[in-house]
Amino acid sequence: MKDLISITDLSIEELQELIAKAEDIISNPDEYCEKCKRKKLATLFFEPSTRTRLSFESAMLELGGSVIGFSEAASSSSAKGESVADTARTISCYADIIAMRHPKEGAPLVAANAASIPVINAGDGGHNHPTQTLTDLLTIYREKRRFNNLKVGFCGDLKFGRTVHSLIQAMSRYEGNSFVLISPEELRVPGYIKTDVLDKNKLQYKETDNWDDMAELDILYMTRVQRERFFNEADYLRLRDVFILTEDKLTNAKDDLCIMHPLPRVNEIERAVDSDKRACYFKQVLYGKYIRMALILKLLGVE
Ligand code: CP
């Protein structure tokens, strides 16, 4: 495997290897601090990011490597009309590996086909975000020690939330999982997720517009309503506050419920929930750095 464009580029065995590697890095960070000496990561971010870009950068720095890149399209030659393919070919002359975020679905694949170095999709439009999914999987594994027989609730913007699409794809590969898809009708998961992923794998799922299944959930994955993907501001304003997680909604939830969120949060989780022992979303941020360290090592072929 040269690139990571979709979470399904990784076999279940490769996923497990990455999880094991990340856990080893967490336990023995000093053993990894020079693994990428003289290697360079290029972060090409055509869309805003805090966690993904900075976790990639800190991952490479903690591996002893260095980082180049840009954090907005306006400061790159794409503002002068350069294509994604030409940008990727150019960066192949300067760096050893690329992490790319782009508003257009498929742009990282175009880059991967043009580049002679590995390309990692760091989020493409409303499509996929495989390294967030790796982050989510490491969080689930650290909390539950398994990927099967889990009831997972996804709540919020399930239409535009690319992290939701990638995580459903990933969890669909394990036995006994079921899904509760909580959203306003307008923000339900795209049809292809239902037909090509959930139905194809004969998975149990339920679409709902209420919190009634909270007591049965093992994981609750909250998401932000993605303002930047709406065509109409009035629709965003109407839908943004429909689902807000508050402490009182957790009264009947399991003691070991794992509450996740890819972040950034706007106001879909009340601040009071942050101190609930079931809130895992800031641990999730930290795990994102370790799993990206493991991924960089794998794609660079570093033992
Ligand atoms: N979760 C995530 O992708 O966050 P950023 O947009 O800040 O990178």
Side-chain angles (χ1 to χ4, degrees):
M1 186 183 96
K2 171 181 159 281
D3 313 292
L4 180 68
I5 303 300
S6 159
I7 195 67
T8 50
D9 293 342
L10 291 163
S11 67
I12 288 181
E13 292 73 26
E14 286 173 317
L15 272 175
Q16 204 58 51
E17 272 172 39
L18 284 174
I19 299 279
K21 179 65 78 180
E23 291 209 299
D24 193 51
I25 295 170
I26 291 169
S27 303
N28 307 292
D30 290 349
E31 285 184 21
Y32 291 88
C33 65
E34 296 208 332
K35 290 280 184 190
C36 286
K37 210 171 165 182
R38 285 191 281 277
K39 300 280 186 198
K40 261 181 271 169
L41 165 74
T43 51
L44 312 185
F45 277 62
F46 296 85
E47 246 194 359
S49 167
T50 296
R51 276 145 295 273
T52 311
R53 185 170 65 83
L54 296 178
S55 67
F56 264 117
E57 294 191 1
S58 56
M60 192 49 150
L61 294 174
E62 288 190 28
L63 290 167
S66 50
V67 179
I68 58 172
F70 51 83
S71 58
E72 53 177 356
S75 63
S76 78
S77 284
S78 74
K80 300 179 220 162
E82 185 166 54
S83 68
V84 164
D86 283 359
T87 303
R89 254 186 105 165
T90 300
I91 301 300
S92 300
C93 303
Y94 305 144
D96 300 284
I97 186 164
I98 291 171
M100 174 187 278
R101 171 169 290 187
H102 202 286
K104 284 199 181 138
E105 303 182 358
L109 178 61
V110 171
N113 289 337
S116 56
I117 58 177
V119 173
I120 301 169
N121 178 3
D124 61 332
H127 187 223
N128 266 201
H129 192 350
T131 63
Q132 180 63 48
T133 308
L134 289 174
T135 301
D136 299 342
L137 290 171
L138 178 59
T139 307
I140 292 170
Y141 196 71
R142 299 283 288 181
E143 295 297 313
K144 302 285 179 196
R145 304 315 288 177
R146 68 182 198 278
F147 291 127
N148 58 359
N149 299 317
L150 292 166
K151 189 159 195 163
V152 187
F154 288 94
C155 180
D157 184 349
L158 311 188
K159 178 180 180 182
F160 296 118
R162 57 193 173 197
T163 65
V164 171
H165 309 157
S166 292
L167 187 56
I168 290 176
Q169 281 179 320
M171 295 298 285
S172 295
R173 300 203 284 182
Y174 299 92
E175 283 190 359
N177 292 327
S178 59
F179 303 96
V180 182
L181 307 172
I182 309 162
S183 74
E185 185 156 357
E186 293 100 318
L187 297 180
R188 288 188 172 170
V189 292
Y192 81 90
I193 293 288
K194 288 186 250 183
T195 53
D196 299 359
V197 182
L198 295 166
D199 294 340
K200 193 171 166 191
N201 292 300
K202 298 188 172 55
L203 286 155
Q204 278 192 5
Y205 70 93
K206 170 181 173 181
E207 293 186 290
T208 176
D209 60 3
N210 60 60
W211 300 94
D212 290 357
D213 296 87
M214 181 71 91
E216 294 172 21
L217 299 180
D218 299 298
I219 293 164
L220 174 61
Y221 194 96
M222 294 296 299
T223 61
R224 161 182 78 92
V225 176
Q226 307 236 329
R227 181 181 208 157
E228 66 274 31
R229 317 252 179 247
F230 276 75
F231 290 114
N232 178 337
E233 179 75 359
D235 283 344
Y236 166 72
L237 294 174
R238 184 169 52 81
L239 295 169
R240 68 174 179 181
D241 293 332
V242 175
F243 288 98
I244 297 179
L245 184 65
T246 53
E247 271 293 272
D248 62 294
K249 294 201 176 75
L250 292 165
T251 310
N252 297 326
K254 289 183 180 177
D255 271 353
D256 64 348
L257 173 70
C258 172
I259 305 168
M260 298 172 65
H261 191 311
L263 304 182
R265 155 178 60 182
V266 183
N267 59 346
E268 57 281 354
I269 301 181
E270 202 178 58
R271 297 296 185 274
V273 177
D274 296 0
S275 51
D276 190 301
K277 71 177 176 58
R278 295 166 289 190
C280 296
Y281 30 93
F282 286 106
K283 283 194 253 181
Q284 206 175 335
V285 172
L286 180 62
Y287 295 145
K289 180 182 70 176
Y290 293 115
I291 199 75
R292 289 182 174 101
M293 289 170 81
L295 179 65
I296 290 169
L297 291 172
K298 178 177 174 62
L299 293 180
L300 289 179
V302 176
E303 288 302 318

